[in-house]
């Protein structure tokens, strides 16, 4: 079972009310691939970097079973760089700089084994690039799309084309509203179903995630952290944990059930909580499956309750 | 097992982006008492009304086992009236009018059977009034306090006195932060534990509720409604369902366990969801235990998931 991930592999410079990251490795695909690697042994990365990108991070990804044949290196180019500053609430943020660099004019190339991938994770990027990757994959079983309001503002037509071709869409609550014009989330989810995706995951950051499929709905809270150092990449990590777990279930059982999807949301939430505990990818990189399992056990206690009896009736 | 509730019995006039309520019966104690009545057969109300208050609502409360001996009627007086307008998000709201009317100078009187109450629900009101009621109750087993930022702004000293004497504090996330100066909720909860309450319930509206006790934490989502008509009173209804369920468990088993507390948060969330579906108390008044049980069953499916296996390790 292999997973193919499209997304940025890049640098971030992050300021929060509590500290600064300096220039660190980030990018959607970095977080996704690290999270996926906890669940599957083989994955493909489709991205682009410049000559300034540290080999050491690529070596780590390779060591975690990531095929880098789809990672373009632009000679003399500089990697994508995003800089932002979080408000006091650690949710809202202002973008200070977006240096597209090697992203400009990049045409993604999926390698020969990548195009047989069973699971495709389209990380947040220009819908045109997402379409180009989708066109190069033969017959994926599950395609998950992550996107954001930015593309709704400037590339809605192409975005809708991508949306029509995916199985799962992950967006945040505001984005679900913007995409559909529906304020209440169950209605927004139904409107998204009509655009194509059978499954809709609405990410609400510290307030958890809602998943809708047909008439079913599932909710998973965010793990209540003692302290959030940096939420950058949490949504990407969620997506990586989500698709990685699904792929592992497909490998183990030959199918992906609603129960698997629910557990994938839980796993995504658990993985995302780690990312928030440090700047950049450092926490994800140091993580063992034992850490993940331990937090998962704590996590499940969060919502476990048992109705003993109703007092009347 | 009896429950004593302190709070306003009043009128509300509510505007939302989707409609207007006109002048309807509201007030914290109205919502609380209606919710409590689903779970216990006997309760006491401590509040004050003017001559303009409809007898029909009082008859309904009596019919639901509510002793009204603690309800003062001010001759020639007008009942408390609040008017507010919700923003597009149905969460933020502007107060248009607060007519204190009979609340001014009111001294609460607990009747002779009320002062033996086992469960006391101090609904949102001036901490001085809450203290006066607490002084009149002999030996309650569980005291729950609901309050809001308004009292933190103008009566923090008295509020802290009340807080030091209660078992459970319910506040929203912003209020927990204001009360403690701690941004992250697990830390805020610990700070509140030190002020007195063994249990802290942090209400997050559409984002659910978190409960902290010692080192334990429990999360219950809000029921994802198709449509929110009016969230006014949802927090009060939550509190009523919460304490009502606890009282019913105490009656059935002679104790209140952590499992009971968790289920009380679930019950409170279920009850609150009904209140949001109509203006004022109308939905709560028309509710049967069958309706409640049916939504509760739907609700539990929201977070139920089953880990089949971890793929590795």
């Amino acid at each position: 079972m292999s997973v193919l991930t499209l997304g940025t592999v890049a640098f971030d410079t992050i300021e929060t009310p509590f500290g600064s990251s300096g220039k660190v490795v980030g990018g959607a695909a970095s977080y996704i691939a690290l999270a996926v690697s906890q669940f599957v042994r083989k994955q493909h990365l489709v991205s682009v970097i410049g000559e300034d990108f540290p080999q050491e991070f690529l070596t780590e990804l390779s060591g975690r079973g990531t095929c880098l044949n789809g990672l373009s290196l632009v000679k003399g180019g500089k990697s994508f760089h995003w800089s932002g500053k979080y408000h006091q609430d650690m949710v809202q943020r202002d973008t200070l700089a977006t240096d597209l660099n090697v992203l400009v004019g990049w045409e993604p190339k999926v390698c020969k084994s990548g195009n047989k991938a069973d699971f495709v994770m389209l990380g947040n990027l220009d819908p045109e690039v997402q379409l180009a990757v989708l066109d190069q994959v033969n017959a994926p079983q599950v395609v998950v799309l992550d996107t954001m309001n930015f593309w709704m503002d400037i590339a809605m037509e192409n975005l809708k084309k991508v949306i029509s071709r995916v199985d799962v869409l992950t967006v945040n609550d505001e984005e679900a509203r913007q995409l559909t014009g529906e304020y209440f989330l169950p209605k927004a989810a139904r409107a998204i179903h009509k655009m194509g995706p059978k499954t809709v995951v609405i990410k609400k950051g510290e307030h958890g995630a809602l998943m809708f499929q047909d008439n079913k709905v599932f909710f998973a809270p965010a793990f209540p952290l003692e302290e959030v150092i940096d939420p950058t990449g949490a949504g990407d990590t969620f997506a990586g944990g989500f698709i990685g777990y699904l792929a592992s279930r497909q490998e183990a059982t030959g199918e992906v059930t609603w129960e698997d999807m629910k557990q994938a949301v839980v796993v995504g939430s658990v993985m995302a909580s780690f990312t928030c505990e440090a700047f950049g990818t450092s926490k994800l990189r140091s993580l063992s499956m034992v850490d993940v399992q331990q937090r998962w056990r704590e996590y499940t206690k969060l919502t476990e309750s048992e109705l003993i009896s109703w007092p009347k009736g």
Side-chain angles (χ1 to χ4, degrees), chain A residues 1-4 36 40-44 64-67 113:
Chain A
M1 209 48 49
S2 73
V3 177
L4 180 133
V36 164
V40 298
R41 286 176 184 80
K42 201 177 157 191
Q43 60 175 318
H44 300 274
R64 289 167 175 264
T66 310
C67 160
S113 60

Side-chain angles (χ1 to χ4, degrees), chain A residues 5 9 29 33 43-49 53-73 109-111 113:
Chain A
T5 297
V9 171
Q43 60 175 318
H44 300 274
L45 187 65
V46 181
S47 193
V48 59
I49 52 173
F53 198 80
Q55 178 59 41
E56 178 254 342
F57 187 79
L58 304 179
T59 306
E60 165 129 13
L61 287 183
S62 295
R64 289 167 175 264
T66 310
C67 160
L68 301 178
N69 291 343
L71 181 68
S72 310
L73 171 65
K109 297 250 161 48
V110 178
C111 72
S113 60

Side-chain angles (χ1 to χ4, degrees), chain A residues 14-19 86 90 225 227-232 275-280:
Chain A
I14 297 145
E15 282 177 57
T16 77
F18 310 103
Y86 283 88
M90 293 294 272
L225 292 168
E227 200 164 27
V228 172
I229 299 293
D230 173 19
T232 309
T275 287
C276 297
E277 291 184 302
F279 281 113

Side-chain angles (χ1 to χ4, degrees), chain A residues 21-42:
Chain A
S21 68
K23 197 174 177 184
V24 293
V25 167
S30 302
Y31 289 102
I32 294 168
L34 286 168
V36 164
S37 73
Q38 293 284 350
F39 302 97
V40 298
R41 286 176 184 80
K42 201 177 157 191

Side-chain angles (χ1 to χ4, degrees), chain A residues 210-243:
Chain A
L210 271 164
M211 177 169 62
F212 296 90
Q213 188 187 88
D214 303 323
N215 292 317
K216 301 188 288 292
V217 53
F218 176 68
F219 178 84
F223 188 80
L225 292 168
E226 286 292 315
E227 200 164 27
V228 172
I229 299 293
D230 173 19
T232 309
D236 305 311
T237 309
F238 175 93
F242 179 84
I243 201 166

Side-chain angles (χ1 to χ4, degrees), chain A residues 110-182:
Chain A
V110 178
C111 72
K112 278 189 181 162
S113 60
N115 66 20
K116 296 185 197 71
D118 306 290
F119 286 75
V120 175
M121 179 68 231
L122 301 173
N124 175 44
L125 256 181
D126 188 333
E128 205 170 327
V129 175
Q130 293 175 324
L131 284 170
V133 165
L134 217 42
D135 286 338
Q136 296 174 63
V137 185
N138 297 340
Q141 296 180 30
V142 176
V143 180
V144 180
L145 168 65
D146 189 41
T147 187
M148 66 184 292
N149 53 357
F150 180 74
W151 305 113
M152 296 176 194
D153 293 338
I154 68 160
M156 187 63 111
E157 204 179 328
N158 272 336
L159 179 59
K160 286 192 172 171
K161 280 187 203 162
V162 194
I163 289 175
S164 73
R165 292 173 63 181
V166 308
D167 302 284
V168 184
L169 175 67
T170 75
V171 283
N172 73 27
D173 38 3
E174 283 315 309
E175 290 156 356
R177 287 166 180 145
Q178 182 176 350
L179 186 59
T180 63
E182 292 286 355

Side-chain angles (χ1 to χ4, degrees), chain A residues 291-306:
Chain A
D291 299 324
V292 176
Q293 292 189 0
Q294 188 175 327
R295 178 157 297 175
W296 172 79
R297 273 188 288 270
E298 277 182 74
Y299 182 99
T300 54
K301 285 189 203 150
L302 253 183
T303 58
E304 253 174 12
S305 71
E306 192 188 335

